[in-house]
Amino acid sequence: MEPPWTVEQAMSDGVSKKELIEWLTEHADEAVKVRHKINKSALKKRSKDKAIKAYKDVLDPSRDIADVGTLPTESNQTEADQAAEKVKLIGVMINFIDMDQEERPQLELKLHPESTIAQVKDAIEAAEGIPAECCLLFNRRNPRMANDRTLFELRVEDKGTLHLQTREVE
């Protein structure tokens, strides 16, 4: 992707905040969008200076973001792993409802905002042994959560609660 402006052009009056944020929304990777809070409401909430910082982050050739879906181990942290770690993990509370066998306490998962609902279900399966295909996740804002949607897209924030209901797989 070839950026449409230099940093100096982006800072000038020739490029509006709206143009800059729209370009970032379409072309920046998820890690940059999360780090700089570039989303649908950014046009109203972000200043042009903050949008320029995000644009600089996109243009910076030394920027090397690793796959943020995995967590680095202490023994093999590279510079890319350390850069990926800068994207803050969020704590997501899982509330088990309608579980026939027993009452379960809430489960807290540490996940990246870019984690998909399918990845959340896999984490629940790893932690609790509940098969991912049996999990139905929802919250007040999102009564239906598609497996390909990310926590960021669904506006699930740190310490946010998702409700888990199990269902029979046919």
Side-chain angles (χ1 to χ4, degrees):
M1 132 193 83
E2 186 66 32
W5 315 284
T6 64
V7 173
E8 293 77 23
Q9 290 170 329
M11 292 172 67
S12 74
D13 291 335
V15 178
S16 70
K17 177 177 86 167
K18 180 180 179 182
E19 291 173 309
L20 190 57
I21 290 177
E22 285 176 351
W23 188 88
L24 288 167
T25 303
E26 291 177 19
H27 297 95
D29 62 30
E30 277 304 309
V32 171
K33 290 179 189 177
V34 169
R35 189 170 35 256
H36 295 284
K37 299 179 182 173
I38 302 297
N39 54 32
K40 292 177 184 175
S41 64
L43 193 54
K44 293 180 182 176
K45 295 181 179 181
R46 298 282 130 218
S47 67
K48 185 172 179 181
D49 290 338
K50 290 185 180 184
I52 289 171
K53 285 181 184 179
Y55 189 67
K56 286 180 182 177
D57 199 10
V58 170
L59 296 181
D60 184 5
S62 66
R63 180 180 64 84
D64 187 15
I65 303 296
D67 176 19
V68 293
T70 59
L71 296 175
T73 61
E74 290 179 20
S75 62
N76 66 352
Q77 276 192 330
T78 64
E79 287 182 27
D81 292 331
Q82 291 169 354
E85 222 174 46
K86 289 180 184 177
V87 176
K88 185 180 176 193
L89 293 176
I90 59 173
V92 178
M93 304 302 292
I94 305 297
N95 183 31
F96 298 94
I97 61 171
D98 198 26
M99 300 293 285
D100 295 332
Q101 292 89 9
E102 77 259 9
E103 289 288 320
R104 293 184 190 225
Q106 276 192 333
L107 170 68
E108 182 176 7
L109 299 174
K110 293 288 186 183
L111 302 163
H112 290 282
E114 300 84 19
S115 298
T116 63
I117 294 300
Q119 291 170 328
V120 174
K121 289 178 181 181
D122 291 341
I124 293 169
E125 183 173 9
E128 295 290 319
I130 300 169
E133 61 271 5
C134 294
C135 295
L136 176 65
L137 290 171
F138 61 94
N139 66 9
R140 279 186 287 166
R141 273 191 199 138
N142 306 291
R144 295 182 184 205
M145 295 183 168
N147 284 337
D148 62 339
R149 300 289 305 271
T150 67
L151 296 173
F152 178 74
E153 291 171 338
L154 294 167
R155 297 175 26 200
V156 176
E157 298 174 353
D158 191 30
K159 302 297 181 203
T161 300
L162 298 180
H163 303 287
L164 169 72
Q165 185 171 17
T166 57
R167 58 190 166 122
E168 300 270 334
V169 176
E170 297 169 0

